[in-house]
Amino acid sequence: MVEKSELKQRKAASNGDSQPEKNVDYQSGKTWGRAKDVPLSTSIGCAAIIMFCPLMVLLFWSSCTYDQCDLVVPFIRLLNDPNEFVEKLFPKATKEGFLLYFGWLFFQAFLYAVVPAPIGYGQTTPAGFTLPYVVNGLRAWIITHSLFILFSDIGLGYYKASIIHDNWGALLVGANVYGYFLTAFSFIKAYLFPSHPSDRKFSTSWVYDLYMGIEFNPRIGKMFDFKLFHNGRPGIVAWTLINFSFAAAQYNQIGYVTNSMLLLNWLHLVYVIDFFWNEDWYLRTIDVAHDHFGFYLAWGDTVWLPWMYTFQSHFLVRHPIDLSWPYFAVVFAIGMGGYYIFRTVNNQKDLVRSTNGQCNIWGKPARVIRTEFVTSDGKTHKSLLLTSGYWGISRHFNYVGDLLISLAMCLTCGFGYISPYFYIIYMTILLLHRIERDHDRCMGKYGKYWEEYCRVVPAKLIPYIW
């Protein structure tokens, strides 16, 4: 989906939000976005996720800390000695862990607030706002990693480069404390002092509202955006830093870093650098442009992403694997092939967006469906739906690249255990669910134009199959 108003977005909002606040308390009636009428089954599902996902993170942490990342052993322990199971399921809080985590968090907030950078603009919201964002993630990433290495035992020697690995359990406690606080704070803020009241959306279920969020773009002041900060900084900046620390831990244990760990670090590095290099593009993806901010993003960005997305590095510390070079080459090719697909697919949409469809895709003039949609302030906007190139053979071919990269990350761990492959299983479920969510949202936003697009491009993910 391509917004025609890209140039207007970049000219707008120079002094804050691009439109004045309307006399609307919240989104009601038939507006696009997340669900309003929520069945009981959905509320139960949200409650289950809120309760059981934190336990899943604890289980994975415990399995690696005590059982060589074997997910079966903890359940055997549960049957034989429930007390020992509970004791080993929960990491212990430490003063050092809390200082490290919250020091890290405030340092990232400081960088987000003060590092100069271009201003990017997101898509028009359901209430008609086009919001500015500080796009300084790449600079923050470089500063963070440079300082971490400089002051570690690789440089000046103030701490071990393995410090994150060495305090992994205590950091998990700190992250959970903050994740639950952020969820509660965002929920209360949406009622008492929302950033953009007219973009709030309440459902028939407070549990669903807690999980999916009420506010669309909660902020502190004009520019400190909760969604972009928490996903990009405690989440994605940490991703490569965690992997690096675990690679240092592996070096401390066996005297060298295995090629499997190096390959995993490389694949994650490519994905993370791409994210920050194209951070302006990320403003128009589902996380920022469509999701509200609740437990799903608040706890997910602070706990789920840094702990579950980096699980393979924890596994490779427990199981240092030297891959054969032919196998290494195959995994490398799968990962980089997936990245090529992911990036070129998204580049096609960005090209069409920036040229208003006046460009060539695969050597031919781009084919688009020109659409209109209405925001709740009563204004009509124009948009484009790309139907050529990759976007002409599948509505979400970029997800094929995503899944190939994810598979390669898991393949670095060999085939001895199932636990490292949780990531590709999870990503498959996540992206399939996103496809359905995106379909519902686009149907609500574009209506007949989306129906036409689905007729022109019937494949949701895999061309000519599904």
Side-chain angles (χ1 to χ4, degrees):
M1 290 67 67
V2 182
E3 295 294 340
K4 183 179 178 181
S5 56
E6 176 77 5
L7 294 178
K8 292 181 180 179
Q9 291 174 359
R10 295 185 178 278
K11 294 176 182 178
S14 59
N15 294 316
D17 304 340
S18 62
Q19 292 88 8
E21 187 71 57
K22 304 299 179 182
N23 187 26
V24 179
D25 288 335
Y26 54 87
Q27 293 288 297
S28 61
K30 189 175 182 180
T31 60
W32 85 81
R34 70 167 181 79
K36 178 178 180 294
D37 299 313
V38 177
L40 178 61
S41 58
T42 299
S43 297
I44 294 173
C46 291
I49 292 173
I50 292 172
M51 288 187 294
F52 290 112
C53 277
L55 292 176
M56 182 179 294
V57 176
L58 292 172
L59 177 65
F60 273 70
W61 169 83
S62 177
S63 71
C64 274
T65 302
Y66 298 106
D67 306 306
Q68 297 295 305
C69 301
D70 188 332
L71 293 175
V72 176
V73 175
F75 291 101
I76 297 175
R77 184 183 301 117
L78 174 62
L79 295 175
N80 294 334
D81 191 342
N83 291 331
E84 184 185 7
F85 171 82
V86 171
E87 180 183 350
K88 290 186 175 181
L89 183 64
F90 295 96
K92 293 179 174 58
T94 66
K95 179 181 178 181
E96 182 180 15
F98 269 78
L99 289 175
L100 282 173
Y101 184 77
F102 287 99
W104 150 263
L105 191 67
F106 285 115
F107 178 65
Q108 290 304 310
F110 172 78
L111 293 180
Y112 184 85
V114 305
V115 173
I119 301 298
Y121 297 95
Q123 286 187 344
T124 302
T125 70
F129 291 95
T130 303
L131 301 178
Y133 295 84
V134 178
V135 185
N136 62 4
L138 183 60
R139 298 176 186 184
W141 185 92
I142 293 172
I143 292 170
T144 299
H145 286 69
S146 298
L147 292 178
F148 181 84
I149 294 172
L150 174 64
F151 288 102
S152 74
D153 54 4
I154 298 174
L156 299 177
Y158 285 96
Y159 51 80
K160 291 183 178 179
S162 62
I163 187 172
I164 299 173
H165 165 274
D166 300 340
N167 292 274
W168 197 226
L171 289 169
L172 178 56
V173 177
N176 268 289
V177 169
Y178 180 69
Y180 279 105
F181 164 79
L182 183 62
T183 300
F185 176 79
S186 301
F187 187 74
I188 295 169
K189 178 183 180 299
Y191 282 93
L192 300 182
F193 45 99
S195 301
H196 303 96
S198 55
D199 259 325
R200 293 179 300 171
K201 196 162 190 179
F202 298 92
S203 74
T204 54
S205 167
W206 71 268
V207 176
Y208 182 82
D209 289 345
L210 180 69
Y211 175 70
M212 287 303 297
I214 297 171
E215 276 202 90
F216 197 55
N217 295 102
R219 294 187 167 201
I220 297 175
K222 288 287 186 182
M223 300 298 293
F224 198 98
D225 185 81
F226 281 28
K227 282 196 286 189
L228 183 60
F229 171 74
H230 286 99
N231 189 62
R233 308 315 159 81
I236 296 181
V237 167
W239 194 341
T240 44
L241 204 63
I242 292 165
N243 283 339
F244 183 82
S245 184
F246 275 71
Q250 187 187 73
Y251 179 86
N252 292 341
Q253 290 181 13
I254 65 174
Y256 71 101
V257 179
T258 63
N259 62 358
S260 57
M261 180 69 87
L262 292 173
L263 179 55
L264 176 67
N265 272 258
W266 169 256
L267 293 173
H268 284 173
L269 176 66
V270 168
Y271 195 83
V272 167
I273 292 297
D274 178 87
F275 173 89
F276 287 120
W277 186 266
N278 299 283
E279 192 174 15
D280 185 83
W281 155 82
Y282 176 70
L283 303 179
R284 292 171 290 279
T285 63
I286 191 168
D287 288 341
V288 173
H290 310 308
D291 284 336
H292 291 242
F293 194 80
F295 178 88
Y296 173 71
L297 290 179
W299 182 87
D301 287 342
T302 53
V303 180
W304 183 266
L305 192 161
W307 265 261
M308 300 303 284
Y309 285 27
T310 63
F311 180 79
Q312 290 90 0
S313 62
H314 199 163
F315 178 89
L316 290 174
V317 172
R318 307 297 174 182
H319 300 274
I321 297 172
D322 288 304
L323 304 174
S324 70
W325 289 112
Y327 182 86
F328 181 101
V330 170
V331 175
F332 179 86
I334 293 173
M336 296 310 295
Y339 170 72
Y340 175 82
I341 293 172
F342 171 80
R343 179 42 46 208
T344 54
V345 173
N346 287 311
N347 282 346
Q348 285 187 351
K349 186 162 64 174
D350 286 344
L351 176 62
V352 171
R353 176 188 291 121
S354 63
T355 61
N356 192 28
Q358 305 302 311
C359 62
N360 288 341
I361 299 294
W362 287 353
K364 298 179 180 179
R367 299 189 307 272
V368 300
I369 297 173
R370 297 188 178 272
T371 76
E372 293 182 349
F373 63 93
V374 180
T375 50
S376 62
D377 58 2
K379 294 182 179 180
T380 298
H381 305 262
K382 296 184 182 297
S383 187
L384 302 177
L385 298 175
L386 177 59
T387 62
S388 59
Y390 292 109
W391 300 93
I393 61 175
S394 167
R395 298 178 219 164
H396 295 280
F397 198 71
N398 53 325
Y399 289 170
V400 173
D402 245 330
L403 291 172
L404 287 173
I405 300 170
S406 301
L407 176 62
M409 294 171 183
C410 299
L411 288 171
T412 61
C413 297
F415 299 100
Y417 290 78
I418 189 63
S419 55
Y421 289 85
F422 167 80
Y423 184 63
I424 182 61
I425 297 170
Y426 162 75
M427 286 298 294
T428 301
I429 296 171
L430 174 71
L431 295 180
L432 292 178
H433 185 243
R434 281 193 172 189
I435 288 172
E436 297 307 319
R437 287 171 55 209
D438 186 61
H439 175 77
D440 292 341
R441 185 195 64 83
C442 289
M443 183 63 73
K445 182 176 182 179
Y446 298 112
K448 63 181 181 180
Y449 301 108
W450 185 253
E451 292 178 350
E452 179 184 354
Y453 176 69
C454 292
R455 287 194 296 270
V456 175
V457 187
K460 296 180 179 180
L461 179 65
I462 303 175
Y464 314 112
I465 297 177
W466 183 82

